[in-house]
Amino acid sequence: MTTLGEFLIKLLESYEVDRVFGIPGVHTIELYRGLANSPITHYTPRHEQGAGFMADGYARISGKPGVCFVITGPGLTNISTAMAQAYADSIPMLVISGVNKTKHLGHGNGNLHELPNQSAFAEQVSSFSYSVNHPDDLPQVMARAFAVFSSARPRPVHIEIPIDLMSAPADHLMPIPSLTFPHPPAPDKTAIDQIADLCFGAKSPLLIIGGGVKGKNKSAQELAEYLDCPVIMTVNARGLIPDSHPLAIPASPSLKSVRSVIENSDLVLAMGTELGPTDFDMYGNQEFTIPNTLIRVDLDPLQLHRNIHPTIGVIGDADLTMQKLVHSLKENEQSHVNRNGADRALTTKQAAFNELSKPMQEQIKFLETIKSSLPGVVIIGDSTQPVYAGNLYYSPDSPKGWMNSATGFGTLGYALPAAIGAQLADPERPVVCLTGDGGIQFTLGELGSAIDAGANIIVIVWNNDGYLEIKNFMLENDITPEGVTPSSPDFPAIAEAYGLYAEHLSSKEELPAALKRARAENRPTLIQIEENLFSPTG
């Protein structure tokens, strides 16, 4: 007999799932019955939050949904923080949990791991949450989940299976039929032609690309080059246009200089971006505006009317829309127009860097050293000082090279497990986890998970003796600092205890060599750096 748990594994295989992150428990063991004989590899974190962050990092690099198995109750509540970060950043994640036996649901009798309404809880951090009431439900709800991942705004999906159904017969669901995936919505031709007309008449256009742009066919770069317009990349889009490209502005619209070029543009095309505060108003001064013609393209129709109302709003895939727009422009425009895009980009780029504080400029140089020492590196950050600086002004040397949790939901503890997931998605690419001495302690045990998974990440601990960013914020607001100096352990010693290679940097000049040594180790490594080494006087 094929049980529903075994059928689930076969179903995931049919969707080309090759990684699962989770911690087994008595409420999920039936999901594991078919896993040992499956091509799917299972990775065990030290905490369900780590499972979710691993799935997040894996999804961002692979482009495939990260899949997690968690137990009923605390398993789901533990992973909910990671789901919320993925929800805020539009990352595809499939969370499959147990739930109490069907006959116990809703009674509140105090069964093990019982929540009053587990699915309702999960709905707050997912595109949808579904409770399987019969084995026949599972193929349909799985198809719905992957429809979200392939053609809608990709956010977490939660599926819960009562523990008595996991062992129910599922032979009648075999064999699994061939699968088809819906395509993302294509823009209307009338809208494309309307936008093209506005592009023809624009003297100073500007392109803003967000995390909804995936870089397919280099459509953003081609559009920018044809319009001769600067390109601003949000945090989740950094690297899609190379920093070396003359039209690239690797700086945040939270900076005055970047806001200035936006305000002085007569046409702004915003592709796949929320235009949300954590990118466009990091300092919370509410001064961001787009005063002239605004075109917005997004998969989510509701998002088109959040934050800033567009002149024209288009529901559609951002890459596909730009591709069709370039085709329309080339078909209809008589001659290429020089719009001084490179000059506008260079002026903005230089002004943006000069606008940064001296400590932030030093932190950008620190990030650039990592990039030059490890070509193609993925830097995955927590909420820590050089990450805040990088979100204001940093561009990786290749796509998907900069990601962190300091935007969107803004959780701590993200970087270490997310780096593990990213390394598993692309083992040949160097992956650096950049975290603070405070943030890493949220998920410190995942150092062991890196060893178990064979994920040869480089962990950089930026040690500033606590939550220095919060301490400074308190001082700036005339608040006596309290609760911002948690003690730290000896991180290199802990790393070595787990089996990692570890170093404590004594000067910033040692960083390139230390990174290369770490890369050559062929095992996870940890480098501790004192924040004052990279201060303006360090």
Side-chain angles (χ1 to χ4, degrees):
M1 182 187 75
T2 300
T3 67
L4 188 62
E6 291 171 308
F7 173 75
L8 170 65
I9 300 301
K10 293 293 184 185
L11 193 57
L12 291 174
E13 289 174 19
S14 71
Y15 282 99
E16 300 182 352
V17 171
D18 56 6
R19 304 278 195 280
V20 167
F21 306 91
I23 300 177
V26 293
H27 281 194
T28 54
I29 58 169
E30 282 297 331
L31 300 183
Y32 286 77
R33 187 177 293 279
L35 198 54
N37 296 321
S38 166
I40 297 173
T41 305
H42 182 276
Y43 297 92
T44 306
R46 299 305 188 264
H47 189 281
E48 286 91 355
Q49 187 177 113
F53 289 146
M54 286 181 195
D56 179 301
Y58 173 81
R60 293 189 197 227
I61 295 299
S62 70
K64 299 166 66 173
V67 180
C68 302
F69 286 175
V70 296
I71 64 166
T72 312
L76 185 65
T77 56
N78 283 345
I79 202 173
S80 63
T81 296
M83 292 173 69
Q85 185 71 47
Y87 185 93
D89 285 350
S90 300
I91 304 303
M93 183 186 296
L94 177 60
V95 176
I96 299 172
S97 79
V99 71
N100 291 97
K101 291 182 179 180
T102 309
K103 66 180 181 180
H104 293 153
L105 295 178
H107 293 296
N109 290 330
N111 288 287
L112 180 65
H113 302 330
E114 184 176 5
L115 281 173
N117 190 334
Q118 182 174 276
S119 184
F121 174 85
E123 281 179 351
Q124 307 307 307
V125 288
S126 58
S127 179
F128 71 88
S129 175
Y130 188 90
S131 299
V132 174
N133 295 311
H134 190 279
D136 292 9
D137 295 347
L138 190 56
Q140 184 182 55
V141 70
M142 192 69 75
R144 284 178 56 197
F146 278 83
V148 169
F149 303 147
S150 65
S151 61
R153 188 173 184 175
R155 283 171 155 167
V157 169
H158 169 242
I159 299 173
E160 64 178 18
I161 305 174
I163 55 177
D164 53 323
L165 279 188
M166 291 179 189
S167 55
D171 285 311
H172 64 289
L173 299 175
M174 300 289 287
I176 297 169
S178 58
L179 304 171
T180 57
F181 297 94
H183 295 289
D188 179 83
K189 186 179 185 306
T190 303
I192 290 292
D193 292 341
Q194 191 177 4
I195 297 170
D197 287 340
L198 290 170
C199 289
F200 294 146
K203 296 180 180 179
S204 55
L206 178 80
L207 179 60
I208 301 174
I209 58 175
V213 176
K214 304 305 178 187
K216 296 174 185 174
N217 304 312
K218 294 189 174 181
S219 53
Q221 183 171 322
E222 188 175 6
L223 176 59
E225 289 171 351
Y226 199 81
L227 292 178
D228 189 25
C229 73
V231 186
I232 295 169
M233 291 160 277
T234 69
V235 168
N236 285 333
R238 297 279 174 87
L240 289 177
I241 308 292
D243 184 28
S244 58
H245 195 287
L247 296 173
I249 301 177
S252 169
S254 292
L255 296 170
K256 292 179 181 177
S257 49
V258 182
R259 289 180 173 184
S260 178
V261 75
I262 294 172
E263 291 166 5
N264 291 318
S265 299
D266 59 359
L267 174 66
V268 174
L269 299 102
M271 302 287 179
T273 171
E274 293 180 314
L275 297 177
T278 56
D279 263 303
F280 293 82
D281 191 23
M282 289 184 194
Y283 296 115
N285 55 29
Q286 299 180 339
E287 293 176 359
F288 178 73
T289 182
I290 300 178
N292 298 311
T293 303
L294 171 63
I295 310 299
R296 291 190 70 174
V297 177
D298 205 287
L299 281 172
D300 184 352
L302 298 179
Q303 194 59 45
L304 289 173
H305 299 282
R306 292 185 180 125
N307 296 316
I308 298 181
H309 190 77
T311 309
I312 298 175
V314 178
I315 302 169
D317 176 80
D319 292 276
L320 183 58
T321 300
M322 288 187 285
Q323 192 176 349
K324 287 182 176 293
L325 179 56
V326 168
H327 179 76
S328 177
L329 291 168
K330 288 182 175 180
E331 250 189 352
N332 297 297
E333 192 168 21
Q334 299 301 312
S335 60
H336 187 73
V337 179
N338 183 349
R339 297 183 172 95
N340 299 313
D343 290 341
R344 294 166 63 210
L346 180 60
T347 300
T348 304
K349 185 176 175 179
Q350 291 173 338
F353 185 78
N354 292 333
E355 194 177 329
L356 300 176
S357 67
K358 293 299 181 184
M360 280 191 168
Q361 289 180 356
E362 289 299 313
Q363 289 155 21
I364 296 301
K365 293 174 185 176
F366 162 71
L367 296 173
E368 293 290 341
T369 300
I370 297 174
K371 181 170 70 173
S372 61
S373 302
L374 301 170
V377 66
V378 182
I379 299 178
I380 300 182
D382 235 304
S383 294
T384 194
Q385 285 178 310
V387 171
Y388 295 134
N391 282 348
L392 287 172
Y393 192 101
Y394 172 74
S395 181
D397 60 6
S398 53
K400 300 180 180 179
W402 177 253
M403 59 188 75
N404 60 78
S405 60
T407 61
F409 198 58
T411 182
L412 281 167
Y414 171 85
L416 174 53
I420 295 170
Q423 182 76 77
L424 293 174
D426 191 350
E428 300 305 313
R429 193 171 178 184
V431 175
V432 167
C433 156
L434 178 54
T435 181
D437 56 297
I440 192 174
Q441 293 188 69
F442 279 62
T443 49
L444 183 59
E446 304 304 349
L447 290 173
S449 301
I451 290 288
D452 292 348
N456 297 328
I457 60 173
I458 300 172
V459 180
I460 296 179
V461 179
W462 181 270
N463 197 324
N464 54 26
D465 297 321
Y467 303 131
L468 186 59
E469 196 73 17
I470 306 303
K471 179 180 178 180
N472 290 339
F473 193 68
M474 285 179 167
L475 291 170
E476 290 165 7
N477 287 273
D478 296 321
I479 298 170
T480 302
E482 188 64 50
V484 290
T485 54
S487 60
S488 294
D490 184 335
F491 292 112
I494 288 178
E496 289 174 348
Y498 273 116
L500 284 77
Y501 170 79
E503 290 192 30
H504 188 142
L505 218 64
S506 58
S507 73
K508 63 182 178 183
E509 288 76 21
E510 294 178 2
L511 180 59
L515 289 169
K516 290 172 183 175
R517 282 195 298 273
R519 181 66 173 154
E521 270 294 315
N522 199 32
R523 59 172 165 158
T525 61
L526 183 144
I527 301 171
Q528 179 169 263
I529 295 174
E530 301 299 330
E531 175 262 347
N532 58 15
L533 293 182
F534 289 87
S535 68
T537 58

